[in-house]
Amino acid sequence: MDQLKVALAGNPNCGKSTIFNALTGLKQKVGNYPGITVSKHEGQATINDTLLNICDLPGAYSLTPYSQEEIAARNHLINERPDVIINVVDSNSLERNLYFTLQLLELGIPLVLGLNMIDEVRKKGITIDSKKLSSLLRVPVLETVGKTGEGKTELITEAIRNAKEGKGVTVPLYISYGADLDLALQKMEDVIIKHNFMNGALPARWTAIKYLEGDSHVISMGLRERETHKQLEIIVAEVTDHCKKTLDTTPDEVIADYRYGYIASILNEGIISRNNRAERLELSDRIDKVLTNRLFGPIILLGVLYGMFVMTFTVGAIPMGWLETFFGFLGDTATNLIPEGLIQSLVVSGIIDGVGGVLGFVPLILFMFFMIAFLEDSGYMARVAYILDRIMQAAGLHGASVMPFVISGGIVGGCAVPGVMSTRTLKSPKEKLATILTLPFLTCGAKTPVVLLLGAASFPEYGPQVLFASVLLGWTVALVSARVLRSTVIKGDSTPFVMELPPYRLPTLKGLLIHTWERAWNYIQKAGTVILAISILLWAAMTFPQLPEAQVQEFQHQKVALEETLTDSLTAEEKAEIEQKMLTIDNNQAGTALRYSLAGKLGTALESVSSYAGFDWRVNIALIGGFAAKEVIVSSLGTAYSLGEVDAEASEALSDRLRADPNWTFLTAASLLVFVMLYAPCFITVVAIARETSWKWAGFSIVCNTIIAYVLAVGVYQIGSLILQIN
Amino acid sequence: MSEHISLRNMKINEKATIVSVKATGELGRRIRDMGLVKNTTFQVIGRAPLKDPVALRLKDFTLTLRNKEADHILVQLSA
């Protein structure tokens, strides 16, 4: 069977992915482009005995890359040399879309043009003469409708025919860039061919054009061949100087002008004819009059974000409950099957609880990503960035950073893991990094029970206010630290905000489901493996070393002694009292064992540092546990305060207990609250950060956040103590 | 007769033609890649709630850019 490499290329929002989904169905896989986190979508299709390996390239406006998506798309084309490019264009804005097409044609790879969304154009009474366009551009042009699959078969058949005939190479399109540039390009071409520059992998004229455009990626590739590179640079310098002197312009400006001129000359041949003067963007414009209105825009935006949130956390909570029940059942079954002891404890507390905690998030993540995919595919996400860009800009971020912030807990609840993953929509690596590093400050769903507990323990009448304060604290610290990061470690000008507002479209369900599943599956695979290891580690730290035999014996004796007092002659009340006492012994044993364990010893050792913030060894253990997952803080505090197993959701008993402890003041609570809100992100988030950036930044995030948290917590505790003393 | 002004100073619904794009390097290329080249006619169709960025209509699509970027674009207002 023949095999062909096919690349699907086109502008963002041109409907490429819909065509990709229609061609490949479920035979898709997603990975990352090497070195960057732009997703790589590949799929297979078999048509007439030909196996097609189709790659859906990230959307691009130009082959002189600007965003990471464009770098990925360009590199794929020049490194992989597909046998044929299917260039999908949005027929609604043919002129701009053809700008990219021209650049593809200059590469000399066989190309088939798909005039997508042709139905929308027809509806407006506009006709595009695709035959004429085909003869002028000298490539096959086919009309398609991605949503219905119309023209899909013709497009792919034509692509196969073209690839087989052209065998991967055609004559690159030649566009004249005016006398000055053409002369320089010719000289450069000669140099390139003479020295077999870059092994002749790319059309000589194309490489020359990139040099004139000052394409930093191609130029850095060329630097490896010093001599040739120098000769080319000299020609570039000459012509740049000439352009400056005679026309007060630069070569890249001239190139853009000529490209648009070329397109205009083609379209002027009567390609487009309008039967009436219906404006294309009319509906979108009318929607935008409301949705991006100065007054209503932000209100609606808040409503949408909030609604999305409520939907996710109420609807998502249902399957989450099922999963919890399932893991509870699994835990019970394991408890019954495995005899009591270390192995049981490892399986139930270590593995099932740990992995279950991660997988329990999956429904939430599925919902969250479904909503995001909807907002993105419908075109609203671009408006969110547009409306909020000014505010985010002040913090050195980008309008598009808002969405990850909200997902991570900008409105209470949420989770930094999908938040970190959603930063993929950010174009600039610096803004993306700053966003990722500041996301963990927000009030995620796991911190909420901790906040509620501490609130209940020390500020019983101000529950909602405490929660609200935590949200404010999260946002303030996130935005301020983003500002600080952007002017220190991640320095650099804010990236230009030159963004298309795509027309509103109703997304296809298939596309949404595929998008959602891809991301969720990534999460399950990646977080699932690491968390297992960490759960076991933490379990071990809180279990070993075990209490010496003698001490265990002592607790046993106490229990036996009590048990002996249990006789039938006692009243029910007295029995209950004895049982209560036995429970206390169990709790004391658990508490003592915990103190004796590695985590306990660490907690005690840390007291010398943590006491400045008012934390004793028990709090320290809880905080160490909170590094695995913040919910653990409540249950470990429970164990440490000798309450045995504490349900993270039902925390009343613990808060009573805390209040009763004389060492526990409201200052301790306030300082702990600040610390928990801000210190190192949980381990799943750290893994997500490392995947999106590097382990270096993940480590930075652990250390830096913990320091910030510590400093602020100490500040709260010490200043608070001073004020109390004065009074 | 009318003077060339910066895109930043345009009001909503005003139409203009691009006289020159002063930005160089990557930013200049991006602006031009997106279709903002000399002699292009466009209309300002809106501004974000805090007056920045600005939304333009050109060549059958909508483009937004920050005022900071708009500073680099000189236009001549259409009658």
Side-chain angles (χ1 to χ4, degrees):
Chain A
M1 192 156 58
D2 287 344
Q3 285 210 20
L4 285 178
K5 280 193 278 185
V6 182
L8 267 170
N11 280 187
N13 313 306
C14 68
K16 219 163 26 75
S17 299
T18 317
I19 290 191
F20 177 72
N21 292 340
L23 287 173
T24 59
L26 288 171
K27 286 182 189 163
Q28 304 186 358
K29 57 175 193 219
V30 200
N32 281 352
Y33 282 94
I36 44 175
T37 52
V38 175
S39 336
K40 182 176 192 168
H41 299 251
E42 286 175 309
Q44 290 187 331
T46 312
I47 289 166
N48 303 334
D49 277 342
T50 308
L51 176 67
L52 304 174
N53 291 304
I54 308 173
C55 182
D56 183 16
L57 298 182
Y61 291 109
S62 170
L63 276 188
T64 306
Y66 172 81
S67 67
Q68 291 207 324
E69 272 91 349
E70 288 178 343
I71 293 172
R74 209 269 297 275
N75 286 350
H76 181 91
L77 289 174
I78 62 180
N79 298 333
E80 297 287 318
R81 293 295 297 185
D83 297 299
V84 61
I85 298 173
I86 298 180
N87 176 208
V88 182
V89 303
D90 176 356
S91 313
N92 289 298
S93 52
L94 196 55
E95 184 171 356
R96 198 207 58 220
N97 274 261
L98 285 179
Y99 184 82
F100 184 59
T101 307
L102 286 194
Q103 300 187 47
L104 290 174
L105 289 171
E106 284 184 315
L107 266 179
I109 299 171
L111 184 141
V112 183
L113 197 68
L115 289 182
N116 201 23
M117 306 187 195
I118 197 76
D119 55 329
E120 294 177 17
V121 177
R122 284 186 203 135
K123 233 186 268 168
K124 280 172 237 151
I126 296 171
T127 27
I128 297 180
D129 189 341
S130 52
K131 285 218 179 70
K132 204 166 195 175
L133 184 63
S134 169
S135 74
L136 287 171
L137 284 172
R138 273 171 279 144
V139 295
V141 177
L142 295 131
E143 303 185 352
T144 60
V145 180
K147 266 182 291 184
T148 60
E150 182 192 327
K152 164 186 107 176
T153 322
E154 290 84 348
L155 185 69
I156 199 78
T157 321
E158 191 59 39
I160 295 171
R161 193 186 62 75
N162 216 23
K164 287 187 174 164
E165 276 172 17
K167 293 202 181 68
V169 192
T170 50
V171 183
L173 171 75
Y174 181 95
I175 302 174
S176 165
Y177 291 110
D180 293 340
L181 259 53
D182 280 345
L183 186 69
L185 284 168
Q186 188 58 53
K187 274 197 236 165
M188 292 164 81
E189 255 185 90
D190 293 342
V191 173
I192 289 168
I193 292 167
K194 193 174 137 204
H195 293 96
N196 195 28
F197 191 51
M198 295 185 190
N199 303 319
L202 298 163
R205 189 177 167 88
W206 190 84
T207 312
I209 292 170
K210 294 298 141 189
Y211 259 81
L212 274 188
E213 283 185 307
D215 181 320
S216 52
H217 294 84
V218 169
I219 292 174
S220 69
M221 264 157 65
L223 262 172
R224 285 177 222 147
E225 292 165 57
R226 270 269 172 88
E227 273 312 304
T228 323
H229 170 81
K230 248 188 217 160
Q231 291 185 36
L232 294 177
E233 290 279 79
I234 291 170
I235 305 174
V236 172
E238 275 171 12
V239 70
T240 307
D241 192 47
H242 186 76
C243 284
K244 188 88 214 151
K245 274 187 193 141
T246 56
L247 300 159
D248 187 26
T249 175
T250 54
D252 57 336
E253 189 171 356
V254 176
I255 291 172
D257 282 349
Y258 272 89
R259 279 195 190 132
Y260 274 111
Y262 188 88
I263 295 166
S265 72
I266 287 176
L267 295 182
N268 283 342
E269 297 277 328
I271 302 281
I272 302 177
S273 46
R274 292 164 203 264
N275 298 344
N276 58 33
R277 300 195 47 82
E279 251 324 296
R280 122 166 167 89
L281 289 149
E282 207 183 355
L283 179 65
S284 263
D285 275 357
R286 267 187 294 179
I287 299 176
D288 266 339
K289 282 248 158 21
V290 183
L291 292 192
T292 63
N293 177 284
R294 271 205 200 146
L295 182 64
F296 302 122
I299 297 173
I300 295 172
L301 173 67
L302 275 179
V304 168
L305 292 182
Y306 188 73
M308 174 179 138
F309 224 72
V310 172
M311 277 285 277
T312 309
F313 285 92
T314 49
V315 185
I318 300 169
M320 214 166 149
W322 297 338
L323 275 181
E324 266 166 27
T325 315
F326 171 72
F327 281 108
F329 164 77
L330 214 59
D332 289 345
T333 315
T335 313
N336 292 334
L337 285 180
I338 308 169
E340 201 172 318
L342 280 180
I343 296 184
Q344 188 202 59
S345 163
L346 170 67
V347 171
V348 177
S349 310
I351 298 173
I352 297 179
D353 281 359
V355 175
V358 176
L359 292 184
F361 271 126
V362 169
L364 223 58
I365 290 199
L366 280 171
F367 259 92
M368 194 65 101
F369 281 144
F370 186 81
M371 303 277 191
I372 300 171
F374 184 87
L375 292 188
E376 256 171 25
D377 292 1
S378 65
Y380 187 66
M381 200 72 104
R383 272 79 184 176
V384 174
Y386 169 70
I387 293 174
L388 292 173
D389 180 67
R390 191 66 195 83
I391 299 174
M392 300 309 274
Q393 205 189 326
L397 298 172
H398 191 272
S401 305
V402 169
M403 202 32 90
F405 268 55
V406 169
I407 294 166
S408 303
I411 323 183
V412 179
C415 175
V417 177
V420 168
M421 282 152 79
S422 69
T423 58
R424 291 189 171 188
T425 48
L426 293 172
K427 300 265 184 280
S428 142
K430 280 184 181 167
E431 281 157 2
K432 177 178 163 172
L433 184 57
T435 309
I436 286 179
L437 291 178
T438 49
L439 289 180
F441 291 130
L442 300 165
T443 319
C444 73
K447 284 179 197 165
T448 318
V450 188
V451 174
L452 292 177
L453 164 79
L454 295 177
S458 296
F459 316 93
E461 272 134 60
Y462 301 100
Q465 284 85 344
V466 170
L467 198 57
F468 185 66
S470 83
V471 175
L472 279 188
L473 177 72
W475 273 97
T476 315
V477 176
L479 291 179
V480 169
S481 53
R483 177 73 263 175
V484 172
L485 283 172
R486 290 288 279 121
S487 43
T488 53
V489 227
I490 324 174
K491 218 179 201 152
D493 290 334
S494 54
T495 25
F497 182 90
V498 183
M499 199 182 69
E500 188 185 355
L501 290 187
Y504 290 103
R505 284 211 173 85
L506 199 63
T508 63
L509 187 61
K510 191 177 178 181
L512 290 180
L513 291 178
I514 291 177
H515 277 162
T516 309
W517 177 243
E518 274 165 7
R519 290 173 172 176
W521 181 234
N522 254 347
Y523 168 79
I524 297 173
Q525 281 177 315
K526 287 173 183 171
T529 45
V530 181
I531 198 67
L532 177 63
I534 291 299
S535 309
I536 294 176
L537 257 174
L538 265 164
W539 169 84
M542 291 170 84
T543 309
F544 296 106
Q546 292 188 293
L547 275 182
E549 195 56 33
Q551 257 176 295
V552 178
Q553 290 280 324
E554 199 183 311
F555 282 111
Q556 285 302 332
H557 287 318
Q558 288 181 18
K559 273 176 81 173
V560 172
L562 260 178
E563 229 164 308
E564 278 164 4
T565 62
L566 256 183
T567 50
D568 291 340
S569 59
L570 292 173
T571 62
E573 244 172 63
E574 283 168 324
K575 272 186 190 168
E577 197 184 319
I578 293 176
E579 263 160 31
Q580 189 56 47
K581 275 186 185 158
M582 288 182 59
L583 199 64
T584 315
I585 296 175
D586 276 344
N587 286 337
N588 276 338
Q589 183 177 357
T592 318
L594 187 64
R595 182 159 201 170
Y596 196 77
S597 71
L598 187 65
K601 285 178 179 148
L602 199 61
T604 315
L606 282 175
E607 267 186 345
S608 59
V609 183
S610 67
S611 59
Y612 292 103
F615 308 153
D616 66 4
W617 71 277
R618 291 173 291 196
V619 176
N620 288 349
I621 295 184
L623 292 175
I624 294 168
F627 181 55
K630 303 277 188 242
E631 295 98 325
V632 175
I633 295 176
V634 175
S635 56
S636 343
L637 264 182
T639 318
Y641 274 81
S642 310
L643 264 179
E645 288 284 300
V646 167
D647 185 356
E649 308 293 327
S651 43
E652 288 85 358
L654 177 56
S655 63
D656 289 341
R657 185 95 182 194
L658 288 177
R659 231 174 311 166
D661 183 344
N663 292 325
W664 184 271
T665 63
F666 83 93
L667 270 182
T668 322
S671 138
L672 184 58
L673 197 68
V674 169
F675 193 82
V676 168
M677 278 297 300
L678 308 178
Y679 85 115
C682 70
F683 202 80
I684 320 172
T685 307
V686 173
V687 173
I689 293 177
R691 301 270 178 195
E692 288 303 317
T693 59
S694 67
W695 279 103
K696 191 188 87 182
W697 285 113
F700 175 87
S701 157
I702 298 174
V703 175
C704 187
N705 289 18
T706 308
I707 292 175
I708 293 179
Y710 179 70
V711 170
L712 289 181
V714 169
V716 167
Y717 191 73
Q718 296 298 336
I719 295 172
S721 305
L722 273 180
I723 295 173
L724 282 187
Q725 271 173 12
I726 292 167
N727 288 340
Chain B
M1 58 144 249
S2 63
E3 294 214 348
H4 300 164
I5 62 164
S6 150
L7 199 162
R8 178 197 276 265
N9 300 321
M10 285 178 68
K11 294 183 189 73
I12 291 176
N13 291 330
E14 275 184 337
K15 284 186 186 176
T17 305
I18 295 180
V19 177
S20 71
V21 178
K22 285 292 165 207
T24 53
E26 235 175 52
L27 172 61
R29 213 162 49 223
R30 167 83 341 184
I31 290 176
R32 285 185 273 268
D33 282 348
M34 297 300 288
L36 292 174
V37 291
K38 208 193 284 185
N39 297 327
T40 305
T41 305
F42 65 91
Q43 182 179 15
V44 172
I45 58 164
R47 280 180 188 278
L50 293 171
K51 303 209 170 181
D52 188 18
V54 53
L56 316 174
R57 158 67 33 76
L58 72 150
K59 296 188 205 293
D60 285 329
F61 72 102
T62 309
L63 188 68
T64 63
L65 67 167
R66 287 184 182 155
N67 280 332
K68 222 193 281 177
E69 276 97 55
D71 280 339
H72 298 283
I73 301 169
L74 272 188
V75 300
Q76 169 143 33
L77 293 182
S78 312

